[in-house]
Structure formats: C-alpha cells, structure tokens
Amino acid sequence: MNRPAALDLVEPLDRQTLGGRAYAQLSDLLISGRMAPGEKISLRQAAEVLGVSIMPVREAVSRLVADGALEVTPNRAVRVRLMTAAQFRDLTQARIAIEGHVAALAAGNRNDDDLKAIARAEAAMRSESRAAKPNLPRAVELNKSFHFAVYEAAHSATLVDIIRALWLKAGPVINLDLRANPERLAKGDAVRFHARVLAAIKAGDEAGAREGVAADISNAAEVILSRGGLAE
C-alpha cells in the first residue's frame, strides 16, 4: 500500500516533542526576562542543561529567530535580539493595544479562580518590592506572572498566544532595565498599577482594567526609553 505523500512532512513524534519542549523552555527564559538583549546562547550548553541532543535545541533556536526573539550575528553566534528605540516604541504601542484589550476582556470574563490567581500574583509582587533586598530576577518573573494571570482570565487562548509572542521580545528589555535600575522596583510604580488592575477586574470595570494595564506598560516604557540603553 502506497504511503500518502502528506506523511512525508510529519516528523518523528519524539523529535517533535523534544523540539517543542526546548522551544517552550527557551521561550520561558525570554518571556520571564531572565535573559538580556545581546546575551549569547550556546546551543551545546543549552542542550546539556535541557538534557537533549543539540538537534532539538537548534530547531527551537530557529523558531525563536523566526519569531524575532533571537538573532544570528555575522559570525554565526546566536544572541537575544537587540532592539532599537524605534522598535521598542512600536512594540510598546502594540502591547498597549492588545494587552489593554485582553485586560478589559478579563474584567468581563473572569471567574472566582481567576480572581484568586490574580490576587496571589499581585500580593507576591507587592511583597517582593517591599523586601529589604528584593530579588530582581524573581521580581521580573512575578511581574510576568501577574500579567499572564490577568490575560488568562480573558479565556481567549488565541489572544494569550499573541501576547506571548510580544513578550518574547519585551521580556529581555524589561529584565535589562530592572537589573540596571533596581530603584524602579522600590519606587513601586508597577505595584500601584497592578493594584489598580486587580481592583478593576474585581469590580468588572473593563475600562479601568484596560487603562491600568496601558498605564503600567507605558510607564515602564518611558523609563526604559529615558535611560537610553537600547541599540541605535
């Protein structure tokens, strides 16, 4: 019996699974802001850490390059993408539009479990910001956790996937800013905006949720741009 031609396009299941896992792990590092723009990635070291061969890592890196999260330098090194101020402004406007919209949906669609998850994430970020010596990498992770708790409450898998794609590019820049400027965490702007968003979602206030997320994103972007640390 002849094999359908379409099956020739299907990769072995174990290879797909390993490549997908490597992609998910590396994506999480970027989205969570645990890697900075310009930071190089060794495929061999990544494979050792993930416990896989180099092939799934190479596939994952290729996907992330296509996503615009990683880039290949002229000497073939792989690094976290550098972003210009103009690119960052464009990314910020896209985030405000999409993430603000999804926060508004969350205010209308959230259930009790969603509210509990958002409240836990808000409390964890607030607690970390008030610590005598805040753990900055953890603070970046907690910031991401709060935002995605809000977005998951919209109950739109498609929109959350779009936001994840935006955060693949935004996460490293946010991380770079907090690493260099820990006083921004102590100042508490993000915590205040998060509290506003939580209150709006609890009240079912769609406009308030949208405005709170937009203000959080735009405030952080203004600080980052004022520092002048982005690529020319």
Side-chain angles (χ1 to χ4, degrees), residues 29-48:
L29 291 177
L30 293 161
I31 290 171
S32 299
R34 282 176 281 178
M35 300 188 74
E39 191 169 344
K40 292 183 179 179
I41 297 176
S42 164
L43 272 60
R44 189 171 304 282
Q45 290 176 0
E48 291 175 359

Side-chain angles (χ1 to χ4, degrees), residues 115 118-119 122 126 146 193-203:
L115 285 176
I118 296 168
E122 188 274 336
R126 178 162 30 89
F146 172 81
F193 289 127
H194 289 186
R196 280 174 53 185
V197 173
L198 172 60
I201 292 175
K202 278 184 177 179

Side-chain angles (χ1 to χ4, degrees), residues 88-100 162 166 217:
F88 182 68
R89 289 189 185 95
D90 184 52
L91 176 62
T92 297
Q93 290 304 310
R95 290 187 59 209
I96 288 171
I98 296 171
E99 294 176 43
I162 291 171
L166 295 173
I217 295 170

Side-chain angles (χ1 to χ4, degrees), residues 6-219:
L7 288 180
D8 293 333
L9 303 175
V10 177
E11 296 178 1
L13 184 59
D14 59 340
R15 182 178 173 186
Q16 281 190 324
T17 301
L18 290 175
R21 282 170 50 198
Y23 177 81
Q25 292 276 3
L26 293 176
S27 294
D28 189 60
L29 291 177
L30 293 161
I31 290 171
S32 299
R34 282 176 281 178
M35 300 188 74
E39 191 169 344
K40 292 183 179 179
I41 297 176
S42 164
L43 272 60
R44 189 171 304 282
Q45 290 176 0
E48 291 175 359
V49 170
L50 295 173
V52 298
S53 69
I54 202 166
M55 183 60 71
V57 174
R58 183 175 286 115
E59 292 174 358
V61 165
S62 294
R63 287 177 63 184
L64 289 166
V65 169
D67 289 338
L70 300 178
E71 60 186 3
V72 181
T73 67
N75 66 357
R76 307 304 298 167
V78 177
R79 69 183 182 191
V80 180
R81 180 190 175 195
L82 296 174
M83 192 177 298
T84 66
Q87 290 169 332
F88 182 68
R89 289 189 185 95
D90 184 52
L91 176 62
T92 297
Q93 290 304 310
R95 290 187 59 209
I96 288 171
I98 296 171
E99 294 176 43
H101 171 66
V102 176
L105 289 179
N109 296 344
R110 88 290 186 278
N111 57 37
D112 288 345
D113 287 340
D114 295 325
L115 285 176
K116 290 175 184 177
I118 296 168
R120 283 196 301 269
E122 188 274 336
M125 177 74 173
R126 178 162 30 89
S127 176
E128 190 64 46
S129 72
R130 292 176 177 174
K133 293 184 178 179
N135 182 322
L136 297 182
R138 174 171 162 76
V140 177
E141 171 71 28
L142 291 173
N143 178 65
K144 171 259 200 177
S145 296
F146 172 81
H147 277 268
F148 277 87
V150 170
Y151 305 146
E152 293 287 353
H155 297 279
S156 172
T158 299
L159 287 170
V160 171
D161 283 346
I162 291 171
I163 291 173
R164 285 183 63 84
L166 295 173
W167 275 64
L168 279 174
K169 301 174 184 178
V173 179
I174 295 170
N175 176 49
L176 180 66
D177 177 60
L178 276 179
R179 276 185 182 177
N181 307 292
E183 71 275 7
R184 191 160 79 77
L185 180 65
K187 186 179 176 184
D189 286 340
V191 171
R192 287 194 294 274
F193 289 127
H194 289 186
R196 280 174 53 185
V197 173
L198 172 60
I201 292 175
K202 278 184 177 179
D205 179 1
E206 296 183 9
R210 179 186 293 107
E211 292 165 4
V213 164
D216 186 22
I217 295 170
S218 61
N219 176 265

